[in-house]
């Protein structure tokens, strides 16, 4: 799976999917990459930047769909590139902590799941061979979490022209092992880390490839392309300095990553558009149904322009019933009279994408708004200081997200009870009167 800088007319990137198969199909169809029947369409290139699995209940459906499209795309001049994320790495290590219980049960439980993901299993064998760590397309480096320059330079020191192939080959070679052998592959020795990331002048004769072979945690741990958080959480000065070195090593103009969820559901750009963080919480398995943020990034290889596409959560569009069927876009409603057409407009499900330039960042945005009052384009905010952003937390568990509505209800209920007690005490004035107060109806907003 060699990567190439020479791209087709269109390149699309989709971030962390986390088991939301319906969202994947909806995004692909809206982008024109698949037909209504689900087969590949056109000559574009699609890059999925890892973490297809876990959280939601459609992990294997996503994998099988993308592998099938990977086979179909070349027939019409297209291409599908699949990258490993940290969740795919964890699965190859035998760590299934985040598998949706319904999906686990439907495939026969933990032991059956282990067999699927084993090095010679029907899923595990293809994950090891069909996916890769990094890809370069359209003057862009795609990777799940980011490549620190010291890691990229280790492979350039062997062959500058083949850094992508060498890095992918090195990772693939180490992943061709069973779960027991891979279990501790991500452990990071602090002394080894300090040695490897020290200035090159400190260890000028170090064989960095050999050093990595003895300290695999530098690749598979928190400093590697699957787990690194530096490009999301570091200061602008630190991040842009590292980024410029990485881009120089790979000979590209920008880097696109996932892995670090953007809490506002919008792609974050840093370093004047040279870094795009594309994990917008696509999966309803993380946020809850109707609260997710489906998206895709488009890059024009000729002009270098980038466009962020945002789509309404699929659940809301599916609930529009027109003529006895469920509509997924305005065209399905067409000229239907009455509430059908109005409901399509209320959902803000556009028939075509609108675009608005963002000169501050060089990133354009095509946004399908889902609001009752406006259909106007809402441009992506310019780059914001990291200090005013919500902290990027990788491990957003489904349970933590699913409890949020309950906590809101409980807080509202408690506040309501306190308010009622205060009013009663003020107006009644005595415990005796409190005992004789009439029973109050339960507030419908909190019951």
């Amino acid at each position: 799976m060699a990567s190439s800088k020479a791209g087709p007319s269109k390149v699309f990137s989709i971030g962390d999917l986390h088991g939301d198969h319906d969202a994947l199909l909806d995004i692909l169809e809206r982008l024109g990459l698949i037909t209504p029947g689900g087969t590949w369409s056109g000559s574009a290139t699609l890059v999925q930047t890892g973490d297809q699995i876990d959280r939601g209940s459609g992990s294997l459906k996503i994998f099988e769909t993308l592998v099938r499209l990977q086979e179909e795309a070349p027939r019409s001049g297209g291409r599908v590139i699949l990258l490993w994320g940290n969740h795919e790495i964890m699965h190859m290590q035998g760590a299934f902590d985040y598998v949706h219980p319904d999906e686990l049960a439907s495939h026969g439980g933990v032991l059956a799941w282990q067999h699927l993901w084993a090095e010679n299993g029907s899923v595990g064998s293809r994950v090891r061979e069909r996916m890769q760590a990094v890809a370069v397309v359209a003057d862009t480096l795609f990777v799940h979490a980011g490549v620190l320059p010291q890691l990229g330079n280790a492979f350039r020191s062997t062959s500058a022209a083949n850094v992508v192939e060498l890095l992918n080959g090195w990772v693939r070679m180490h992943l061709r092992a069973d779960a027991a052998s891979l279990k501790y592959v991500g452990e990071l020795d602090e002394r080894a880390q300090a040695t490897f990331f020290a200035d090159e002048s400190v260890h000028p004769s170090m064989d960095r490839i050999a050093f990595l072979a003895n300290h695999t945690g530098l690749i598979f741990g928190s400093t590697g392309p699957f787990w690194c958080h530096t490009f999301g959480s570091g200061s602008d000065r630190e991040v842009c300095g590292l980024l410029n070195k990485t881009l120089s090593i790979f000979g590209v103009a920008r880097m696109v990553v996932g892995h670090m969820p953007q809490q506002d559901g919008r792609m974050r750009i840093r370093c004047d558009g040279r870094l795009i963080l594309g994990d917008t919480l696509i999966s309803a398995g993380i946020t809850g149904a109707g609260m997710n943020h489906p998206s895709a990034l488009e890059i024009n290889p000729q002009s270098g322009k980038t466009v962020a596409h945002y789509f309404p959560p699929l659940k809301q569009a599916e609930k529009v019933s027109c003529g006895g069927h469920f509509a997924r876009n305005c065209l399905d409603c067409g000229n239907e009279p009455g509430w059908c057409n109005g409901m399509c407009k209320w959902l803000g499900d556009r028939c075509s994408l609108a675009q608005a330039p963002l000169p501050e960042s060089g990133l354009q945005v095509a946004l399908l708004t889902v609001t009752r009052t406006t259909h106007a384009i809402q441009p992506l905010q310019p780059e914001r200081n990291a200090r005013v952003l919500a902290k990027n937390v990788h491990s957003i568990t489904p349970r933590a997200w699913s409890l949020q509505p309950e906590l809101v209800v409980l807080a509202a209920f408690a506040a309501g009870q306190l308010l009622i007690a205060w009013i009663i005490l003020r107006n009644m004035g005595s415990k005796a009167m409190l005992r004789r107060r009439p029973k109050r109806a339960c507030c419908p907003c909190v019951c």
Side-chain angles (χ1 to χ4, degrees), residues 94-242:
F96 308 132
D97 306 58
Y98 301 101
V99 181
H100 194 286
D102 291 347
E103 186 167 29
L104 197 63
S106 68
H107 286 84
V110 175
L111 289 178
W113 196 262
Q114 287 176 339
H115 288 302
L116 286 174
W117 281 88
E119 71 278 11
N120 56 355
S122 61
V123 176
S125 59
R126 288 180 293 163
V127 166
R128 287 163 168 82
E129 297 303 321
R130 288 183 171 270
M131 300 178 74
Q132 57 196 71
V134 298
V136 170
V137 185
D139 210 18
T140 304
L141 171 64
F142 295 93
V143 58
H144 182 62
V147 180
L148 293 171
Q150 294 89 339
L151 290 174
N153 200 45
F155 295 92
R156 188 177 69 170
S157 64
T158 304
S159 175
N162 297 320
V163 58
V164 172
E165 286 76 8
L166 288 169
L167 177 54
N168 285 330
W170 190 96
V171 174
R172 195 185 314 281
M173 176 185 67
H174 283 80
L175 290 177
R176 287 174 178 153
D178 58 24
S181 302
L182 293 173
K183 186 175 182 179
Y184 302 107
V185 74
E187 288 195 348
L188 195 59
D189 181 286
E190 291 185 1
R191 288 188 61 184
Q193 181 178 348
T195 300
F196 186 82
F197 287 98
D199 190 276
E200 291 187 17
S201 61
V202 178
H203 306 285
S205 59
M206 178 193 295
D207 185 339
R208 293 181 175 271
I209 296 292
F211 193 86
L212 287 172
N214 293 321
H215 302 281
T216 55
L218 293 167
I219 291 285
F220 293 104
S222 61
T223 60
F226 313 111
W227 284 98
C228 180
H229 279 259
T230 301
F231 292 102
S233 60
S235 67
D236 289 345
R237 181 176 181 179
E238 175 192 13
V239 168
C240 296
L242 293 171

Side-chain angles (χ1 to χ4, degrees), residues 21 32 68 80 109 120 151 162 220 227 231 244 251 283 303 319 349 386 407 424:
H21 184 245
R68 174 176 57 79
V80 175
N120 56 355
L151 290 174
N162 297 320
F220 293 104
W227 284 98
F231 292 102
N244 290 339
S283 175
S303 66
K319 285 187 175 294
D349 190 11
L407 293 175
I424 292 171

Side-chain angles (χ1 to χ4, degrees), residues 412-426 440:
F413 180 82
Q417 294 301 306
L418 289 172
L419 179 60
I420 290 171
W422 180 80
I423 293 172
I424 292 171
L425 288 170
R426 181 182 179 185
R440 293 175 177 271

Side-chain angles (χ1 to χ4, degrees), residues 333-360:
C333 284
N335 297 319
E336 289 281 343
W339 71 271
C340 281
N341 193 40
M343 183 61 75
C344 272
K345 293 179 180 178
W346 182 84
L347 291 171
D349 190 11
R350 303 277 69 73
C351 296
S352 61
L353 298 178
Q355 298 180 0
L358 291 177
E360 297 89 351

